[in-house]
Amino acid sequence: MELTDGISPTAHGGPPPGAPTRDDVTSAATARAYAESVVRRTWDAAAGRGPRDQDVIDLLLVVSELVTNAIRHGGGLAGFDTWAVEDGVRVAVHDRSDIVPPVAYGPGSLPPGHRGSGYGWPLIIRLAREIVIDRRPGGGKTITVFVPVRTASGGR
């Protein structure tokens, strides 16, 4: 697979020393670190032309919300993966619950009254594309999303 600007996600080897692997992901913090390492490794490999900072921030917000939801509402995090695709990144979060939240297919409306919670799904819906929820054969579900990531013009 090749990104539109000629960056090949497999042409640059494995993760940098000290970068987390997907097996290290047990929290929102480690998921964000892993997702960012995938993006930086892929986009930085193209002659110093890194990813657009705002797109990385959007990705990290989506990752954080998905993993936090799996931990808080999905019976726990059962797995996590992130991989580069053309024009962005796919994120898959596996949890242990068969329940699909009612807001998952909603319009992304913010919660009324600003009570301090309920912003996760609206944020995911606004920042991610191609949101798919699949039930897992052994129980639980996988939520997979696409987050667009563009190459920064002139570096960052």
Side-chain angles (χ1 to χ4, degrees):
M1 147 184 18
E2 189 159 295
L3 301 174
T4 57
D5 59 2
I7 302 169
S8 172
T10 57
H12 42 76
T21 68
R22 71 176 176 205
D23 294 334
D24 295 329
V25 174
T26 58
S27 67
T30 54
R32 286 190 306 269
Y34 176 67
E36 184 169 9
S37 75
V38 168
V39 169
R40 300 268 179 224
R41 183 171 73 240
T42 303
W43 273 261
D44 287 352
R49 291 180 25 213
R52 188 172 170 264
D53 285 338
Q54 185 61 50
D55 294 346
V56 175
I57 292 167
D58 291 350
L59 171 66
L60 299 180
L61 287 168
V62 168
V63 165
S64 194
E65 290 299 330
L66 287 171
V67 171
T68 299
N69 284 348
I71 292 168
R72 292 181 72 196
H73 308 293
L77 184 64
F80 177 85
D81 204 1
T82 303
W83 62 99
V85 296
E86 187 172 332
D87 297 328
V89 175
R90 291 217 183 268
V91 175
V93 176
H94 316 291
D95 69 25
R96 299 181 190 329
S97 172
D98 294 326
I99 298 169
V100 175
V103 298
Y105 297 107
S109 302
L110 294 173
H114 302 288
R115 293 194 172 104
S117 65
Y119 292 94
W121 268 109
L123 184 71
I124 292 164
I125 290 170
R126 289 171 184 222
L127 298 177
R129 310 286 177 266
E130 302 171 27
I131 300 169
V132 178
I133 302 173
D134 293 312
R135 294 190 192 283
R136 297 176 49 195
K141 64 186 168 296
T142 298
I143 300 174
T144 306
V145 302
F146 169 76
V147 179
V149 177
R150 296 162 284 189
T151 300
S153 56
R156 301 254 187 274

